[in-house]
Every structure is written in C-alpha cells, then in structure tokens.
Amino acid sequence: MHTHTGWSGVRERVIAVKEAERRARGWGTSPYPVFEPVLTAAEIADVEAQYGVELPEEYRTFLAEVGSGGPGPEIELTTLRRVDGRWGWFWDGDGPIPLDPSGPFVETDEWPGRQMETLRAAGYEPTTRDEDDDYLEDFRRVFGESGHEVWRAERVRGAILISDNGCGMTGWLIVVGPHRGEFRDRECAGNPPFEPYVDASGNRHTFRTWYLAWLERCEREARGERTAGAGSPSAPPWST
C-alpha cells in the first residue's frame, strides 16, 4: 500500500474552509481554535510507548503537523490528549477511549470465528450464532457481567475510534494487522459491520486519502460546486 505522509498546507486549507463557512452563515470569527494543538515527537513517542504500538505514519505526521484533533469527516476527529499521565482519544466529552493493540483488527466476515476462538479458549463450546449479535449471549454466559465489555473490546481490537460521522456513525483507523493504515466506516446499530472506505476507483482509503477527499469536497462546497456520490462510505456528505 503506497502512502504519502506530508501534510503541507492542509491545516491552512481546513481553516480557510471553516472561515468561509462561518462567513457564509453570517457568523463572526470563532473565539476557539479550529484544531487542537499539534503533538511533539516526544509526545507521539510517549503515546506509542504507552500502547506498545507504532501508529500509522500518515496519522503520526498529521498529529505533528496539523493537530491532535479538529474538523474532519464528517463532524470532527477524536482528540488525542494526555489526562492524569495517560494518553487516550476523547470524543464529545467522552473518554478516554483507549486502544487495544494486543491483536490484529478482525474484518467483519472473520469476526464470528474470532469469537468462537475466545469462547473455546475459555473452555466453552459456542452455541447457535445469533443473527444480530453473533455470540454475544455466549460471552455473557462465560464472562458474566463483564461479558458485553469483553465482546465489545474484542470487536474493536487493533483499531482507533478516530472520527464522529454523526447520528451514531463512526470512523476507525486500523493500526494492527494486515490492513494497518486503512479506514473503516461503522454505522449505528447493535452490531454493525465495519465497511472499508473506498474512492471512486474502488481503492481503499488510508487516513491521508480519506481526510484529503473530505477536504476537497469541503472546498468544492465552499465554491458552490455540487458533490457527486454523497451518502456512501466512499463519499459521505459534508456536515459541520
């Protein structure tokens, strides 16, 4: 997977788009900064040391050159910050949202198999797979009151919740496994699938291509141009 890591001019372009949006709505200058502060190389190294994983290079350089949080597809990015000496991702007042790097992210079609492995490792033979939640009830039988939390933690292992897409929809950056650096879209539901974000040619988005595709749509909107293909993971509508 070929990636580029430079973010030259991107911070300024996003700020310009946000300022143009405020002017179009008749709003004054915001008293708040558009982006959260960038992180130093030492701070990023501290994050990676805490979690025992190297962040994808495109995201690492974004943190260092653009910001540790701010606007993004489709409402905002989660903010990476340190609280009480620990790093985590914060979103709309919630957090910290941790990263579990202990295993690779599991694609949706492979997820029931991972659940069965976990249950059998605990000495339990899975029962009938539930249509909506796979083997969630089995997790509850095995792990008791913490069953749902164990189930949830395994489902998002190896990925970071990195964007609020509105209406309960979220974006996830894979950091562990063969699809490291790719992005996944997750809609709101009890057990929604993780769908790859793809471009117009069907290529899977990395963090950088996903973010720049959104920014380019924002710029077209600011110029009054129509955006084709809105509403799909490959080209979600621009919200603010």
PDB file of all heavy atoms in Angstrom, residues 110-129 135 138-139 141-143 150 154:
ATOM      1  N   GLU A 110     -14.795 -12.141   9.325  1.00  0.00           N
ATOM      2  CA  GLU A 110     -13.972 -13.051  10.112  1.00  0.00           C
ATOM      3  C   GLU A 110     -14.289 -12.981  11.605  1.00  0.00           C
ATOM      4  O   GLU A 110     -13.768 -13.769  12.394  1.00  0.00           O
ATOM      5  CB  GLU A 110     -12.491 -12.721   9.902  1.00  0.00           C
ATOM      6  CG  GLU A 110     -12.044 -12.834   8.446  1.00  0.00           C
ATOM      7  CD  GLU A 110     -10.661 -12.239   8.233  1.00  0.00           C
ATOM      8  OE1 GLU A 110     -10.105 -11.660   9.191  1.00  0.00           O
ATOM      9  OE2 GLU A 110     -10.145 -12.343   7.109  1.00  0.00           O
ATOM     10  N   TRP A 111     -15.128 -12.053  11.998  1.00  0.00           N
ATOM     11  CA  TRP A 111     -15.386 -11.788  13.402  1.00  0.00           C
ATOM     12  C   TRP A 111     -16.005 -12.972  14.151  1.00  0.00           C
ATOM     13  O   TRP A 111     -15.566 -13.307  15.261  1.00  0.00           O
ATOM     14  CB  TRP A 111     -16.230 -10.529  13.507  1.00  0.00           C
ATOM     15  CG  TRP A 111     -16.811 -10.205  14.852  1.00  0.00           C
ATOM     16  CD1 TRP A 111     -18.111  -9.863  15.106  1.00  0.00           C
ATOM     17  CD2 TRP A 111     -16.149 -10.144  16.109  1.00  0.00           C
ATOM     18  NE1 TRP A 111     -18.287  -9.597  16.433  1.00  0.00           N
ATOM     19  CE2 TRP A 111     -17.088  -9.773  17.076  1.00  0.00           C
ATOM     20  CE3 TRP A 111     -14.840 -10.396  16.512  1.00  0.00           C
ATOM     21  CZ2 TRP A 111     -16.778  -9.627  18.431  1.00  0.00           C
ATOM     22  CZ3 TRP A 111     -14.520 -10.261  17.868  1.00  0.00           C
ATOM     23  CH2 TRP A 111     -15.482  -9.880  18.798  1.00  0.00           C
ATOM     24  N   PRO A 112     -17.019 -13.670  13.627  1.00  0.00           N
ATOM     25  CA  PRO A 112     -17.567 -14.803  14.370  1.00  0.00           C
ATOM     26  C   PRO A 112     -16.517 -15.870  14.685  1.00  0.00           C
ATOM     27  O   PRO A 112     -16.542 -16.487  15.757  1.00  0.00           O
ATOM     28  CB  PRO A 112     -18.657 -15.345  13.435  1.00  0.00           C
ATOM     29  CG  PRO A 112     -19.069 -14.155  12.627  1.00  0.00           C
ATOM     30  CD  PRO A 112     -17.802 -13.392  12.404  1.00  0.00           C
ATOM     31  N   GLY A 113     -15.572 -16.071  13.767  1.00  0.00           N
ATOM     32  CA  GLY A 113     -14.514 -17.039  14.026  1.00  0.00           C
ATOM     33  C   GLY A 113     -13.643 -16.634  15.193  1.00  0.00           C
ATOM     34  O   GLY A 113     -13.243 -17.474  16.014  1.00  0.00           O
ATOM     35  N   ARG A 114     -13.345 -15.331  15.304  1.00  0.00           N
ATOM     36  CA  ARG A 114     -12.571 -14.835  16.438  1.00  0.00           C
ATOM     37  C   ARG A 114     -13.347 -15.053  17.741  1.00  0.00           C
ATOM     38  O   ARG A 114     -12.782 -15.440  18.755  1.00  0.00           O
ATOM     39  CB  ARG A 114     -12.259 -13.353  16.248  1.00  0.00           C
ATOM     40  CG  ARG A 114     -11.838 -12.609  17.524  1.00  0.00           C
ATOM     41  CD  ARG A 114     -10.507 -13.097  18.059  1.00  0.00           C
ATOM     42  NE  ARG A 114      -9.418 -12.649  17.240  1.00  0.00           N
ATOM     43  CZ  ARG A 114      -8.860 -11.426  17.299  1.00  0.00           C
ATOM     44  NH1 ARG A 114      -9.330 -10.535  18.152  1.00  0.00           N
ATOM     45  NH2 ARG A 114      -7.861 -11.117  16.519  1.00  0.00           N
ATOM     46  N   GLN A 115     -14.634 -14.792  17.721  1.00  0.00           N
ATOM     47  CA  GLN A 115     -15.451 -15.003  18.915  1.00  0.00           C
ATOM     48  C   GLN A 115     -15.411 -16.463  19.362  1.00  0.00           C
ATOM     49  O   GLN A 115     -15.282 -16.759  20.555  1.00  0.00           O
ATOM     50  CB  GLN A 115     -16.897 -14.598  18.641  1.00  0.00           C
ATOM     51  CG  GLN A 115     -17.116 -13.101  18.529  1.00  0.00           C
ATOM     52  CD  GLN A 115     -18.563 -12.789  18.246  1.00  0.00           C
ATOM     53  OE1 GLN A 115     -19.069 -13.093  17.177  1.00  0.00           O
ATOM     54  NE2 GLN A 115     -19.238 -12.181  19.210  1.00  0.00           N
ATOM     55  N   MET A 116     -15.526 -17.361  18.410  1.00  0.00           N
ATOM     56  CA  MET A 116     -15.507 -18.787  18.745  1.00  0.00           C
ATOM     57  C   MET A 116     -14.169 -19.179  19.359  1.00  0.00           C
ATOM     58  O   MET A 116     -14.122 -19.966  20.317  1.00  0.00           O
ATOM     59  CB  MET A 116     -15.806 -19.610  17.490  1.00  0.00           C
ATOM     60  CG  MET A 116     -17.233 -19.430  16.973  1.00  0.00           C
ATOM     61  SD  MET A 116     -17.541 -20.318  15.415  1.00  0.00           S
ATOM     62  CE  MET A 116     -17.411 -22.017  15.964  1.00  0.00           C
ATOM     63  N   GLU A 117     -13.069 -18.639  18.839  1.00  0.00           N
ATOM     64  CA  GLU A 117     -11.748 -18.938  19.395  1.00  0.00           C
ATOM     65  C   GLU A 117     -11.660 -18.488  20.852  1.00  0.00           C
ATOM     66  O   GLU A 117     -11.141 -19.208  21.713  1.00  0.00           O
ATOM     67  CB  GLU A 117     -10.662 -18.243  18.570  1.00  0.00           C
ATOM     68  CG  GLU A 117     -10.473 -18.807  17.171  1.00  0.00           C
ATOM     69  CD  GLU A 117      -9.449 -18.010  16.392  1.00  0.00           C
ATOM     70  OE1 GLU A 117      -8.797 -17.117  16.996  1.00  0.00           O
ATOM     71  OE2 GLU A 117      -9.294 -18.248  15.181  1.00  0.00           O
ATOM     72  N   THR A 118     -12.168 -17.297  21.135  1.00  0.00           N
ATOM     73  CA  THR A 118     -12.125 -16.772  22.502  1.00  0.00           C
ATOM     74  C   THR A 118     -12.952 -17.629  23.447  1.00  0.00           C
ATOM     75  O   THR A 118     -12.522 -17.937  24.567  1.00  0.00           O
ATOM     76  CB  THR A 118     -12.645 -15.323  22.526  1.00  0.00           C
ATOM     77  OG1 THR A 118     -11.801 -14.511  21.706  1.00  0.00           O
ATOM     78  CG2 THR A 118     -12.669 -14.766  23.944  1.00  0.00           C
ATOM     79  N   LEU A 119     -14.133 -18.015  23.016  1.00  0.00           N
ATOM     80  CA  LEU A 119     -15.002 -18.831  23.859  1.00  0.00           C
ATOM     81  C   LEU A 119     -14.389 -20.203  24.118  1.00  0.00           C
ATOM     82  O   LEU A 119     -14.400 -20.707  25.254  1.00  0.00           O
ATOM     83  CB  LEU A 119     -16.376 -18.971  23.208  1.00  0.00           C
ATOM     84  CG  LEU A 119     -17.207 -17.680  23.128  1.00  0.00           C
ATOM     85  CD1 LEU A 119     -18.406 -17.871  22.210  1.00  0.00           C
ATOM     86  CD2 LEU A 119     -17.669 -17.245  24.526  1.00  0.00           C
ATOM     87  N   ARG A 120     -13.827 -20.807  23.109  1.00  0.00           N
ATOM     88  CA  ARG A 120     -13.226 -22.132  23.283  1.00  0.00           C
ATOM     89  C   ARG A 120     -11.981 -22.070  24.148  1.00  0.00           C
ATOM     90  O   ARG A 120     -11.701 -22.992  24.921  1.00  0.00           O
ATOM     91  CB  ARG A 120     -12.918 -22.735  21.914  1.00  0.00           C
ATOM     92  CG  ARG A 120     -14.175 -23.228  21.192  1.00  0.00           C
ATOM     93  CD  ARG A 120     -13.932 -23.595  19.747  1.00  0.00           C
ATOM     94  NE  ARG A 120     -15.154 -24.124  19.134  1.00  0.00           N
ATOM     95  CZ  ARG A 120     -15.374 -24.184  17.839  1.00  0.00           C
ATOM     96  NH1 ARG A 120     -14.450 -23.713  16.985  1.00  0.00           N
ATOM     97  NH2 ARG A 120     -16.509 -24.674  17.373  1.00  0.00           N
ATOM     98  N   ALA A 121     -11.223 -20.948  24.032  1.00  0.00           N
ATOM     99  CA  ALA A 121     -10.051 -20.781  24.897  1.00  0.00           C
ATOM    100  C   ALA A 121     -10.462 -20.691  26.364  1.00  0.00           C
ATOM    101  O   ALA A 121      -9.670 -21.011  27.260  1.00  0.00           O
ATOM    102  CB  ALA A 121      -9.278 -19.533  24.490  1.00  0.00           C
ATOM    103  N   ALA A 122     -11.697 -20.242  26.604  1.00  0.00           N
ATOM    104  CA  ALA A 122     -12.216 -20.151  27.970  1.00  0.00           C
ATOM    105  C   ALA A 122     -12.897 -21.440  28.401  1.00  0.00           C
ATOM    106  O   ALA A 122     -13.508 -21.497  29.472  1.00  0.00           O
ATOM    107  CB  ALA A 122     -13.194 -18.984  28.076  1.00  0.00           C
ATOM    108  N   GLY A 123     -12.810 -22.490  27.566  1.00  0.00           N
ATOM    109  CA  GLY A 123     -13.387 -23.784  27.922  1.00  0.00           C
ATOM    110  C   GLY A 123     -14.868 -23.896  27.652  1.00  0.00           C
ATOM    111  O   GLY A 123     -15.551 -24.734  28.255  1.00  0.00           O
ATOM    112  N   TYR A 124     -15.370 -23.096  26.731  1.00  0.00           N
ATOM    113  CA  TYR A 124     -16.808 -23.084  26.448  1.00  0.00           C
ATOM    114  C   TYR A 124     -17.029 -23.322  24.963  1.00  0.00           C
ATOM    115  O   TYR A 124     -16.415 -22.675  24.122  1.00  0.00           O
ATOM    116  CB  TYR A 124     -17.399 -21.728  26.852  1.00  0.00           C
ATOM    117  CG  TYR A 124     -18.881 -21.591  26.617  1.00  0.00           C
ATOM    118  CD1 TYR A 124     -19.794 -21.999  27.583  1.00  0.00           C
ATOM    119  CD2 TYR A 124     -19.367 -21.038  25.428  1.00  0.00           C
ATOM    120  CE1 TYR A 124     -21.165 -21.853  27.377  1.00  0.00           C
ATOM    121  CE2 TYR A 124     -20.727 -20.901  25.214  1.00  0.00           C
ATOM    122  CZ  TYR A 124     -21.621 -21.299  26.184  1.00  0.00           C
ATOM    123  OH  TYR A 124     -22.966 -21.170  25.979  1.00  0.00           O
ATOM    124  N   GLU A 125     -17.917 -24.234  24.621  1.00  0.00           N
ATOM    125  CA  GLU A 125     -18.235 -24.515  23.234  1.00  0.00           C
ATOM    126  C   GLU A 125     -19.378 -23.612  22.793  1.00  0.00           C
ATOM    127  O   GLU A 125     -20.461 -23.612  23.404  1.00  0.00           O
ATOM    128  CB  GLU A 125     -18.636 -25.974  23.028  1.00  0.00           C
ATOM    129  CG  GLU A 125     -18.885 -26.357  21.572  1.00  0.00           C
ATOM    130  CD  GLU A 125     -17.658 -26.166  20.678  1.00  0.00           C
ATOM    131  OE1 GLU A 125     -16.516 -26.276  21.177  1.00  0.00           O
ATOM    132  OE2 GLU A 125     -17.842 -25.902  19.467  1.00  0.00           O
ATOM    133  N   PRO A 126     -19.167 -22.787  21.773  1.00  0.00           N
ATOM    134  CA  PRO A 126     -20.209 -21.855  21.340  1.00  0.00           C
ATOM    135  C   PRO A 126     -21.500 -22.566  20.962  1.00  0.00           C
ATOM    136  O   PRO A 126     -21.492 -23.713  20.479  1.00  0.00           O
ATOM    137  CB  PRO A 126     -19.587 -21.172  20.116  1.00  0.00           C
ATOM    138  CG  PRO A 126     -18.117 -21.333  20.310  1.00  0.00           C
ATOM    139  CD  PRO A 126     -17.934 -22.661  20.991  1.00  0.00           C
ATOM    140  N   THR A 127     -22.625 -21.869  21.189  1.00  0.00           N
ATOM    141  CA  THR A 127     -23.928 -22.405  20.832  1.00  0.00           C
ATOM    142  C   THR A 127     -24.300 -21.879  19.450  1.00  0.00           C
ATOM    143  O   THR A 127     -23.442 -21.646  18.609  1.00  0.00           O
ATOM    144  CB  THR A 127     -24.968 -21.989  21.887  1.00  0.00           C
ATOM    145  OG1 THR A 127     -25.003 -20.553  21.983  1.00  0.00           O
ATOM    146  CG2 THR A 127     -24.612 -22.560  23.253  1.00  0.00           C
ATOM    147  N   THR A 128     -25.583 -21.636  19.214  1.00  0.00           N
ATOM    148  CA  THR A 128     -26.032 -21.160  17.913  1.00  0.00           C
ATOM    149  C   THR A 128     -25.722 -19.680  17.754  1.00  0.00           C
ATOM    150  O   THR A 128     -25.976 -18.873  18.643  1.00  0.00           O
ATOM    151  CB  THR A 128     -27.551 -21.381  17.749  1.00  0.00           C
ATOM    152  OG1 THR A 128     -27.826 -22.771  17.933  1.00  0.00           O
ATOM    153  CG2 THR A 128     -28.015 -20.935  16.362  1.00  0.00           C
ATOM    154  N   ARG A 129     -25.171 -19.328  16.622  1.00  0.00           N
ATOM    155  CA  ARG A 129     -24.829 -17.930  16.354  1.00  0.00           C
ATOM    156  C   ARG A 129     -26.078 -17.093  16.234  1.00  0.00           C
ATOM    157  O   ARG A 129     -27.002 -17.411  15.487  1.00  0.00           O
ATOM    158  CB  ARG A 129     -24.000 -17.844  15.077  1.00  0.00           C
ATOM    159  CG  ARG A 129     -23.635 -16.422  14.659  1.00  0.00           C
ATOM    160  CD  ARG A 129     -22.873 -16.447  13.348  1.00  0.00           C
ATOM    161  NE  ARG A 129     -22.594 -15.098  12.862  1.00  0.00           N
ATOM    162  CZ  ARG A 129     -22.079 -14.836  11.670  1.00  0.00           C
ATOM    163  NH1 ARG A 129     -21.783 -15.842  10.845  1.00  0.00           N
ATOM    164  NH2 ARG A 129     -21.865 -13.580  11.300  1.00  0.00           N
ATOM    165  N   TYR A 135     -22.155 -14.112  18.822  1.00  0.00           N
ATOM    166  CA  TYR A 135     -22.126 -14.951  20.024  1.00  0.00           C
ATOM    167  C   TYR A 135     -22.123 -14.133  21.314  1.00  0.00           C
ATOM    168  O   TYR A 135     -21.550 -14.546  22.319  1.00  0.00           O
ATOM    169  CB  TYR A 135     -20.891 -15.858  19.979  1.00  0.00           C
ATOM    170  CG  TYR A 135     -20.937 -16.841  18.832  1.00  0.00           C
ATOM    171  CD1 TYR A 135     -20.204 -16.617  17.668  1.00  0.00           C
ATOM    172  CD2 TYR A 135     -21.727 -17.983  18.890  1.00  0.00           C
ATOM    173  CE1 TYR A 135     -20.244 -17.508  16.607  1.00  0.00           C
ATOM    174  CE2 TYR A 135     -21.787 -18.883  17.829  1.00  0.00           C
ATOM    175  CZ  TYR A 135     -21.038 -18.633  16.694  1.00  0.00           C
ATOM    176  OH  TYR A 135     -21.092 -19.526  15.646  1.00  0.00           O
ATOM    177  N   ASP A 138     -23.327 -15.929  24.430  1.00  0.00           N
ATOM    178  CA  ASP A 138     -22.329 -16.878  24.927  1.00  0.00           C
ATOM    179  C   ASP A 138     -21.258 -16.154  25.739  1.00  0.00           C
ATOM    180  O   ASP A 138     -20.792 -16.655  26.766  1.00  0.00           O
ATOM    181  CB  ASP A 138     -21.682 -17.636  23.769  1.00  0.00           C
ATOM    182  CG  ASP A 138     -22.607 -18.690  23.183  1.00  0.00           C
ATOM    183  OD1 ASP A 138     -23.581 -19.060  23.857  1.00  0.00           O
ATOM    184  OD2 ASP A 138     -22.349 -19.148  22.063  1.00  0.00           O
ATOM    185  N   PHE A 139     -20.858 -14.967  25.281  1.00  0.00           N
ATOM    186  CA  PHE A 139     -19.888 -14.177  26.037  1.00  0.00           C
ATOM    187  C   PHE A 139     -20.435 -13.842  27.423  1.00  0.00           C
ATOM    188  O   PHE A 139     -19.706 -13.865  28.409  1.00  0.00           O
ATOM    189  CB  PHE A 139     -19.539 -12.890  25.276  1.00  0.00           C
ATOM    190  CG  PHE A 139     -18.370 -13.020  24.344  1.00  0.00           C
ATOM    191  CD1 PHE A 139     -18.422 -13.844  23.218  1.00  0.00           C
ATOM    192  CD2 PHE A 139     -17.195 -12.336  24.591  1.00  0.00           C
ATOM    193  CE1 PHE A 139     -17.355 -13.968  22.360  1.00  0.00           C
ATOM    194  CE2 PHE A 139     -16.107 -12.453  23.730  1.00  0.00           C
ATOM    195  CZ  PHE A 139     -16.183 -13.281  22.615  1.00  0.00           C
ATOM    196  N   ARG A 141     -22.586 -15.602  29.121  1.00  0.00           N
ATOM    197  CA  ARG A 141     -22.588 -16.825  29.933  1.00  0.00           C
ATOM    198  C   ARG A 141     -21.190 -17.129  30.471  1.00  0.00           C
ATOM    199  O   ARG A 141     -21.030 -17.568  31.609  1.00  0.00           O
ATOM    200  CB  ARG A 141     -23.083 -17.999  29.096  1.00  0.00           C
ATOM    201  CG  ARG A 141     -24.551 -17.926  28.681  1.00  0.00           C
ATOM    202  CD  ARG A 141     -25.011 -19.217  28.041  1.00  0.00           C
ATOM    203  NE  ARG A 141     -26.362 -19.105  27.529  1.00  0.00           N
ATOM    204  CZ  ARG A 141     -26.682 -18.882  26.265  1.00  0.00           C
ATOM    205  NH1 ARG A 141     -25.694 -18.750  25.364  1.00  0.00           N
ATOM    206  NH2 ARG A 141     -27.933 -18.790  25.881  1.00  0.00           N
ATOM    207  N   VAL A 142     -20.173 -16.875  29.642  1.00  0.00           N
ATOM    208  CA  VAL A 142     -18.806 -17.212  30.034  1.00  0.00           C
ATOM    209  C   VAL A 142     -18.210 -16.163  30.962  1.00  0.00           C
ATOM    210  O   VAL A 142     -17.576 -16.497  31.974  1.00  0.00           O
ATOM    211  CB  VAL A 142     -17.919 -17.367  28.778  1.00  0.00           C
ATOM    212  CG1 VAL A 142     -16.453 -17.535  29.168  1.00  0.00           C
ATOM    213  CG2 VAL A 142     -18.384 -18.565  27.957  1.00  0.00           C
ATOM    214  N   PHE A 143     -18.410 -14.880  30.628  1.00  0.00           N
ATOM    215  CA  PHE A 143     -17.726 -13.813  31.347  1.00  0.00           C
ATOM    216  C   PHE A 143     -18.618 -13.052  32.319  1.00  0.00           C
ATOM    217  O   PHE A 143     -18.169 -12.091  32.945  1.00  0.00           O
ATOM    218  CB  PHE A 143     -17.092 -12.838  30.351  1.00  0.00           C
ATOM    219  CG  PHE A 143     -16.067 -13.476  29.459  1.00  0.00           C
ATOM    220  CD1 PHE A 143     -16.370 -13.787  28.137  1.00  0.00           C
ATOM    221  CD2 PHE A 143     -14.801 -13.789  29.936  1.00  0.00           C
ATOM    222  CE1 PHE A 143     -15.428 -14.380  27.306  1.00  0.00           C
ATOM    223  CE2 PHE A 143     -13.850 -14.373  29.115  1.00  0.00           C
ATOM    224  CZ  PHE A 143     -14.164 -14.684  27.798  1.00  0.00           C
ATOM    225  N   VAL A 150     -16.229  -7.480  27.314  1.00  0.00           N
ATOM    226  CA  VAL A 150     -15.214  -8.330  26.676  1.00  0.00           C
ATOM    227  C   VAL A 150     -15.515  -8.458  25.190  1.00  0.00           C
ATOM    228  O   VAL A 150     -14.619  -8.346  24.340  1.00  0.00           O
ATOM    229  CB  VAL A 150     -15.172  -9.720  27.342  1.00  0.00           C
ATOM    230  CG1 VAL A 150     -14.239 -10.652  26.581  1.00  0.00           C
ATOM    231  CG2 VAL A 150     -14.734  -9.601  28.802  1.00  0.00           C
ATOM    232  N   GLU A 154     -13.075  -6.917  22.176  1.00  0.00           N
ATOM    233  CA  GLU A 154     -12.500  -7.775  21.144  1.00  0.00           C
ATOM    234  C   GLU A 154     -12.892  -7.289  19.750  1.00  0.00           C
ATOM    235  O   GLU A 154     -12.114  -7.409  18.807  1.00  0.00           O
ATOM    236  CB  GLU A 154     -12.960  -9.218  21.345  1.00  0.00           C
ATOM    237  CG  GLU A 154     -12.340  -9.899  22.543  1.00  0.00           C
ATOM    238  CD  GLU A 154     -11.942 -11.333  22.240  1.00  0.00           C
ATOM    239  OE1 GLU A 154     -12.490 -11.919  21.284  1.00  0.00           O
ATOM    240  OE2 GLU A 154     -11.071 -11.856  22.953  1.00  0.00           O
TER     241      GLU A 154
END
